[in-house]
Amino acid sequence: MLFRNRFLFLLALAALLAFLSLSLQFLHLIPVNPIREDGLNPKSRKRIMPDLLTEPPAIDPVYEAHIYCNIPTIAERSMEGHAPHYFKLVSVQVLIRHGDRYPLYAIPKTKRPDIDCMLLPSRKPSHPQLEAFIKHMSKGSAAQMDGSLSSLPRYPSHSMCEMGELTQTGVVQHLRNGQLLREIYINKHKLLLSDWTAKQLYLETTGKSRTLQSALALLYTFLPDFDWKKINMRHQWSTIFCSGSCDCPMRNHYLEEEQRRQYSLRVKNSDLEKTYVDMAKIVGIPTRQLRASNPIDSLLCYFCHNVSFPCTKTGCIGMEHFKVIKRHQLEDERERQEKKLYFLYALLATHPLLNQTVNRLQRIAEGKKEEVFVLYSAHDVTLSPVLSALGITEARFPRFAARLVFELWQDGKRPKEHFIRILYNGADVTFQTLFCKDYYKRSSKPMCPLEKFVNFVKRDMFLVFNSTSYYDACRRRPL
């Protein structure tokens, strides 16, 4: 009897506790799911504010424009310099796009963006070494500058930016790039010692002030207060860095075909055409003239610098106009990957540069004293075809101050074996490349054998043209 009463008492107590628990959950006084230490419910997907670093599922032109601007306030994650402890870093080659610039084109009959290109350390965005950079650039007369480079300013200095001029944002972007690369390659891997020589560097830039200044900004934080006498900046007249191998008729053919594809996509986009018509009415010019002024170039400058889009007496160009044009640009990039015309152009356009890169890496792997740090300062039209030719199709169009890095590593256990890593804006894209996708599936090695890259550049790049050499591929008409 006593046992039965106890059993009933315990059963009633359990029922009461269950009732109280359900009531508290219903009233939200206790959590249904455990809360992590950071205060977030692991099963909750609701956000109060959008996270800029969380990618949206569909094309968002505003989000993509933010990525393109590359405002130097977002902390960057980097995978450069990562390797097993027994690997030795022996060479680094870096290809950069210049930093943020003033537009190359102006929208007719509108006021140009009011942006100051004077460098002021007190103005945001800034960098702790910006003032020291300005002072060091004023001492640069001892540097060796090829050709017309010597007549270019070493840093931007106009109170009203000139067309295409590097902005303070652009300088800061590359000061940050150089600082990041220094922490990895100099401080951690000792790629260059304090007594480094001019022969250990190879520096090359196009003849634009924005590319020269970008290179110098990166170099300053990579090798702070460097000796100007050790600097030999070479001038590259071609934006695709083809040097003495620029004669390639079929490259031009595929570029023309790609431009026809772009035109065809544009004329099919009725929303884009309506937007151009509306903008032309606001500005007071023919639609054809507005389209020819490449308005997205100018509008991106307004957007990146948080300046209001231009207005006239008729009205204002607005965010909706910007979204339509930017969305079309993104759709064009997507179709470009699918149609492959640009890929064919890219293979021929980038072979001279990639061949130069491979030759240098081979010489270093053979133990010959070569430049251990290489810097090419270039443009979006330089990086974009390189990414396409390598098969890195998932990469975004080169943002301001984008960087593509080739690392050469020596296996400490087998010193004769060398491997490469390829990184784009700090992300390891080695196994996205055409020449290392299959190797990644079959091997547990964390890098790609150098010979894979060599074979791709020396042989496999021409297979799609049914050719065995660059010269032949440049002259063989498609079937």
Side-chain angles (χ1 to χ4, degrees), residues 417-435:
E417 293 187 10
H418 289 78
F419 296 80
I420 65 164
R421 294 178 74 229
I422 300 177
L423 302 104
Y424 183 53
N425 295 330
D428 189 340
V429 295
T430 308
F431 296 113
Q432 294 180 30
T433 60
L434 291 171
F435 54 88

Side-chain angles (χ1 to χ4, degrees), residues 236-249:
Q236 174 58 242
W237 66 271
S238 166
T239 56
I240 57 173
F241 283 65
C242 54
S243 301
S245 303
C246 295
D247 182 21
C248 186

Side-chain angles (χ1 to χ4, degrees), residues 10-26 30:
L10 290 172
L11 187 63
L13 182 62
L16 178 62
L17 289 173
F19 174 79
L20 288 172
S21 176
L22 289 170
S23 300
L24 289 171
Q25 288 182 22
F26 179 77
I30 63 173

Side-chain angles (χ1 to χ4, degrees), residues 102-165:
Y102 201 70
L104 298 174
Y105 308 91
I107 299 176
K109 295 189 177 182
T110 63
K111 183 182 177 183
R112 288 169 49 192
D114 187 11
I115 297 171
D116 187 350
C117 275
M118 293 283 288
L119 298 185
L120 299 174
S122 59
R123 185 178 66 222
K124 294 182 179 180
S126 190
H127 188 277
Q129 291 176 266
L130 179 58
E131 186 172 2
F133 165 75
I134 298 169
K135 291 179 180 177
H136 196 68
M137 291 302 105
S138 65
K139 305 172 185 176
S141 57
Q144 297 181 54
M145 300 275 186
D146 275 0
S148 61
L149 295 181
S150 59
S151 64
L152 297 177
R154 290 180 287 276
Y155 61 94
S157 58
H158 294 96
S159 57
M160 178 64 184
C161 293
E162 295 185 344
M163 303 304 283
E165 186 173 8

Side-chain angles (χ1 to χ4, degrees), residues 229-340:
K229 295 178 182 178
K230 297 181 181 180
I231 301 303
N232 180 11
M233 190 70 72
R234 296 163 178 84
H235 175 222
Q236 174 58 242
W237 66 271
S238 166
T239 56
I240 57 173
F241 283 65
C242 54
S243 301
S245 303
C246 295
D247 182 21
C248 186
M250 290 310 299
R251 179 197 68 219
N252 300 334
H253 165 76
Y254 289 119
L255 180 59
E256 290 169 0
E257 290 294 309
E258 164 62 14
Q259 290 168 342
R260 291 190 186 95
R261 180 205 62 79
Q262 292 177 356
Y263 175 79
S264 176
L265 182 66
R266 193 193 77 204
V267 296
K268 292 176 185 176
N269 191 332
S270 58
D271 288 340
L272 180 67
E273 187 60 25
K274 289 176 184 176
T275 297
Y276 281 145
V277 169
D278 190 42
M279 290 173 62
K281 288 179 181 178
I282 292 172
V283 175
I285 60 173
T287 304
R288 181 180 298 179
Q289 185 182 353
L290 176 86
R291 195 185 298 114
S293 70
N294 192 22
I296 189 62
D297 181 65
S298 186
L299 293 180
L300 276 167
C301 183
Y302 287 96
F303 181 87
C304 292
H305 288 265
N306 199 26
V307 176
S308 298
F309 292 133
C311 291
T312 67
K313 293 180 181 179
T314 310
C316 293
I317 295 174
M319 182 59 75
E320 291 307 313
H321 297 116
F322 175 77
K323 287 180 180 179
V324 170
I325 301 175
K326 183 61 182 174
R327 183 178 288 109
H328 173 76
Q329 192 180 54
L330 296 167
E331 290 169 352
D332 177 75
E333 290 172 19
R334 180 181 291 179
E335 187 184 87
R336 185 179 71 184
Q337 298 289 356
E338 296 170 355
K339 297 293 185 181
K340 299 297 183 182

Side-chain angles (χ1 to χ4, degrees), residues 177-414:
N177 270 345
Q179 182 179 15
L180 184 148
L181 297 182
R182 175 178 176 79
E183 290 171 358
I184 297 167
Y185 297 134
I186 304 296
N187 296 345
K188 181 179 178 182
H189 289 288
K190 313 298 181 187
L191 183 67
L192 291 170
L193 301 179
S194 58
D195 60 347
W196 59 273
T197 66
K199 292 181 179 180
Q200 293 177 292
L201 296 185
Y202 183 90
L203 310 171
E204 190 170 353
T205 177
T206 61
K208 300 295 183 182
S209 62
R210 59 184 176 274
T211 51
L212 173 63
Q213 293 164 4
S214 293
L216 292 173
L218 186 150
L219 198 61
Y220 181 73
T221 43
F222 185 67
L223 297 168
D225 295 318
F226 55 76
D227 184 350
W228 280 103
K229 295 178 182 178
K230 297 181 181 180
I231 301 303
N232 180 11
M233 190 70 72
R234 296 163 178 84
H235 175 222
Q236 174 58 242
W237 66 271
S238 166
T239 56
I240 57 173
F241 283 65
C242 54
S243 301
S245 303
C246 295
D247 182 21
C248 186
M250 290 310 299
R251 179 197 68 219
N252 300 334
H253 165 76
Y254 289 119
L255 180 59
E256 290 169 0
E257 290 294 309
E258 164 62 14
Q259 290 168 342
R260 291 190 186 95
R261 180 205 62 79
Q262 292 177 356
Y263 175 79
S264 176
L265 182 66
R266 193 193 77 204
V267 296
K268 292 176 185 176
N269 191 332
S270 58
D271 288 340
L272 180 67
E273 187 60 25
K274 289 176 184 176
T275 297
Y276 281 145
V277 169
D278 190 42
M279 290 173 62
K281 288 179 181 178
I282 292 172
V283 175
I285 60 173
T287 304
R288 181 180 298 179
Q289 185 182 353
L290 176 86
R291 195 185 298 114
S293 70
N294 192 22
I296 189 62
D297 181 65
S298 186
L299 293 180
L300 276 167
C301 183
Y302 287 96
F303 181 87
C304 292
H305 288 265
N306 199 26
V307 176
S308 298
F309 292 133
C311 291
T312 67
K313 293 180 181 179
T314 310
C316 293
I317 295 174
M319 182 59 75
E320 291 307 313
H321 297 116
F322 175 77
K323 287 180 180 179
V324 170
I325 301 175
K326 183 61 182 174
R327 183 178 288 109
H328 173 76
Q329 192 180 54
L330 296 167
E331 290 169 352
D332 177 75
E333 290 172 19
R334 180 181 291 179
E335 187 184 87
R336 185 179 71 184
Q337 298 289 356
E338 296 170 355
K339 297 293 185 181
K340 299 297 183 182
L341 289 168
Y342 186 81
F343 172 66
L344 297 175
Y345 157 77
L347 289 171
L348 297 177
T350 63
H351 181 265
L353 177 58
L354 291 176
N355 191 51
Q356 185 183 59
T357 299
V358 157
N359 288 340
R360 183 182 290 111
L361 294 178
Q362 280 186 298
R363 291 193 297 268
I364 294 173
E366 291 167 1
K368 297 177 182 177
K369 292 184 178 180
E370 292 284 333
E371 305 96 342
V372 296
F373 182 76
V374 177
L375 177 63
Y376 296 106
S377 188
H379 306 264
D380 53 0
V381 294
T382 319
L383 267 76
S384 182
V386 172
L387 292 167
S388 180
L390 293 175
I392 308 172
T393 56
E394 297 176 15
R396 284 185 169 90
F397 186 80
R399 67 191 189 189
F400 285 129
R403 65 182 188 275
L404 182 66
V405 177
F406 297 82
E407 297 177 347
L408 179 65
W409 295 82
Q410 183 182 40
D411 188 336
K413 296 180 179 179
R414 298 179 180 85

